[in-house]
Amino acid sequence: MKSVNFNKKLALGTAQFGLDYGIANQKGKIGSGVAADILEYAQSSGIDTLDTAIAYGDSEQCLGEIGVSSWNVVSKLPEIPVGTTNIDYWVKQSVDNSLQRLKISQLYGLLLHRPQQLLSPEGQAIYQSLNLIKAQGLVDKIGISIYNQTEIETLFNEFSWDLIQAPFNVLDRTLESSGWLSRLKGLGVEIHVRSVFLQGLLLMNPLTRPTYFQRWQSLWQRWENWLADNSLTPLQGCLGCVISNPEIDRVVVGVDSLIQLQEIIATTTEKLLILPDDLCSDDSDLINPARWKLR
């Protein structure tokens, strides 16, 4: 059975436009021609939001050369260097440089890539700097990019945000199970989720999955059995369970080819799915790619 077309809930992640990104990426950084084709197809399919970051190599530069003035662009500030004496100046310069690379006059969203800095002695100054550039009209929404829900508990007690980006996927649903997804929605925070494919791990053929992940074999077996029982591909399983969540505003997906994007967009029109409760994990060695030991 077909459901509502959820294309507009997708946001296009662009780390691959500037970096060799993702455990399943076999092609490396994509070329500017392919990137332009991807953006054109995405926009024609109803996608209106791009996710990038200063730390994503030359992703912003690539986007600016293609032209993104008609998009809602979310970018991220990297960690503010230790010893920065004028935080207002550093933040303003960083945002101005992003806007110049992107060739736009305003960011839709600006997120802190390392929000833990807000808990440092400079935290209030950083927060005030973000609010200042928002007041100046350089950004529409300010927020944070987090890696686990425990960060939210601290950062939302001290600060108020317009936008949050967090991981959310088949295996990692702690944002929802902790109650924070509903709480954030109640506070009027715009919620973007990323890592819906866990950097491509959830889409990989079991035979090519790195040996590091073998210790979670029972979980992989449950995932594969559930897909088989429901006649689903991994892509359908990953997207169907996340994009239909009414409390999630945008689902950030990254691709390294036009074909991948076409497959994703085709999949967003499939039937909605509900995952079994035991098909998840809170093991950070699995659900946090920063902790993977692949070499």
Side-chain angles (χ1 to χ4, degrees), residues 50-54 56 73-79 90-91 95 107-115 118 126 130 133 139 141-146 161-166 189-194 252:
L50 298 173
D51 177 81
T52 188
I54 293 173
Y56 290 169
V73 181
V74 178
S75 195
K76 308 179 195 75
L77 279 179
E79 186 172 6
W90 187 90
V91 170
V95 173
L107 289 170
Y108 177 75
L110 179 69
L111 309 179
L112 288 178
H113 223 157
R114 296 290 179 265
L118 291 164
I126 296 170
L130 293 176
I133 60 168
V139 303
K141 297 175 186 282
I142 58 172
I144 52 177
S145 174
I146 63 148
W161 305 105
D162 307 310
L163 177 62
I164 187 171
Q165 187 184 108
V189 178
E190 185 171 331
I191 301 166
H192 293 195
V193 300
R194 66 175 185 276
V252 180

Side-chain angles (χ1 to χ4, degrees), residues 231-279:
S231 301
L232 298 169
T233 66
L235 182 62
Q236 290 170 328
C238 287
L239 278 174
C241 302
V242 177
I243 206 164
S244 59
N245 190 313
E247 294 178 320
I248 292 172
D249 294 292
R250 290 289 185 274
V251 178
V252 180
V253 295
V255 300
D256 52 45
S257 70
L258 178 58
I259 290 174
Q260 282 186 355
L261 178 61
Q262 291 169 334
E263 290 173 346
I264 287 169
I265 287 174
T267 299
T268 61
T269 62
E270 294 299 319
K271 62 183 178 181
L272 310 186
L273 305 168
I274 298 175
L275 287 163
D277 291 337
D278 65 345
L279 186 54

Side-chain angles (χ1 to χ4, degrees), residues 48-287:
D48 62 7
T49 302
L50 298 173
D51 177 81
T52 188
I54 293 173
Y56 290 169
D58 56 1
S59 172
E60 289 185 334
Q61 182 82 24
C62 176
L63 292 172
E65 290 171 358
I66 295 169
V68 292
S69 60
S70 60
W71 290 83
N72 295 322
V73 181
V74 178
S75 195
K76 308 179 195 75
L77 279 179
E79 186 172 6
I80 298 170
V82 175
T84 300
T85 55
N86 190 333
I87 291 174
D88 282 350
Y89 178 80
W90 187 90
V91 170
K92 175 73 160 51
Q93 280 295 108
S94 297
V95 173
D96 280 343
N97 290 339
S98 278
L99 293 172
Q100 288 175 19
R101 286 189 292 269
L102 290 161
K103 299 180 182 177
I104 56 177
S105 59
Q106 184 191 54
L107 289 170
Y108 177 75
L110 179 69
L111 309 179
L112 288 178
H113 223 157
R114 296 290 179 265
Q116 298 88 345
Q117 282 196 294
L118 291 164
L119 306 179
S120 73
E122 294 77 32
Q124 285 294 337
I126 296 170
Y127 182 63
Q128 289 169 10
S129 294
L130 293 176
N131 277 285
L132 179 60
I133 60 168
K134 179 183 173 184
Q136 293 170 340
L138 297 178
V139 303
D140 186 35
K141 297 175 186 282
I142 58 172
I144 52 177
S145 174
I146 63 148
Y147 291 87
N148 60 70
Q149 59 87 21
T150 57
E151 293 178 285
I152 307 178
E153 296 168 8
T154 305
L155 295 171
F156 268 84
N157 286 335
E158 298 290 332
F159 309 97
S160 297
W161 305 105
D162 307 310
L163 177 62
I164 187 171
Q165 187 184 108
F168 194 95
N169 55 61
V170 168
L171 300 183
D172 182 4
R173 289 176 273 152
T174 52
L175 186 67
E176 183 176 42
S177 61
S178 67
W180 268 104
L181 184 61
S182 293
R183 186 173 171 185
L184 291 169
K185 201 63 182 173
L187 292 170
V189 178
E190 185 171 331
I191 301 166
H192 293 195
V193 300
R194 66 175 185 276
S195 201
V196 65
F197 307 130
L198 200 52
Q199 288 198 10
L201 178 64
L202 290 166
L203 304 180
M204 292 184 77
N205 184 306
L207 297 177
T208 60
R209 191 182 297 132
T211 55
Y212 169 78
F213 299 103
Q214 285 182 352
R215 58 176 148 147
W216 296 283
Q217 186 55 39
S218 61
L219 190 60
W220 296 124
Q221 195 60 58
R222 289 201 295 277
W223 168 233
E224 289 153 21
N225 289 344
W226 181 77
L227 291 173
D229 291 344
N230 290 276
S231 301
L232 298 169
T233 66
L235 182 62
Q236 290 170 328
C238 287
L239 278 174
C241 302
V242 177
I243 206 164
S244 59
N245 190 313
E247 294 178 320
I248 292 172
D249 294 292
R250 290 289 185 274
V251 178
V252 180
V253 295
V255 300
D256 52 45
S257 70
L258 178 58
I259 290 174
Q260 282 186 355
L261 178 61
Q262 291 169 334
E263 290 173 346
I264 287 169
I265 287 174
T267 299
T268 61
T269 62
E270 294 299 319
K271 62 183 178 181
L272 310 186
L273 305 168
I274 298 175
L275 287 163
D277 291 337
D278 65 345
L279 186 54
C280 62
S281 174
D282 58 5
D283 188 342
S284 58
D285 286 342
L286 172 61
I287 62 177

